[in-house]
Amino acid sequence: MKKKYIIPVTLVDEAEVQNMMAVSLMDGQADANADVLTRENTSWNIWSEDE
């Protein structure tokens, strides 16, 4: 009996973003006393050899 091997085929496609629109829907009122989430300061380098 002869063994039959099947070679898998891979297809790679590239896509570019032309325009992007992001929308956030919110129901109700904002809480003025709640915490606000913001981006952290990431300008420091933890891998630097300098002190």
Side-chain angles (χ1 to χ4, degrees), residues 3-48:
K3 293 185 179 180
K4 194 175 192 180
Y5 295 100
I6 300 173
I7 300 172
V9 176
T10 304
L11 176 64
V12 178
D13 286 328
E14 292 184 22
E16 286 186 26
V17 176
Q18 297 296 321
N19 292 316
M20 186 175 90
M21 183 186 322
V23 177
S24 296
L25 299 177
M26 186 173 168
D27 292 331
Q29 300 294 323
D31 184 3
N33 297 323
D35 291 335
V36 177
L37 300 177
T38 61
R39 296 181 76 183
E40 294 181 13
N41 183 1
T42 58
S43 62
W44 45 273
N45 183 3
I46 62 172
W47 303 109
S48 176

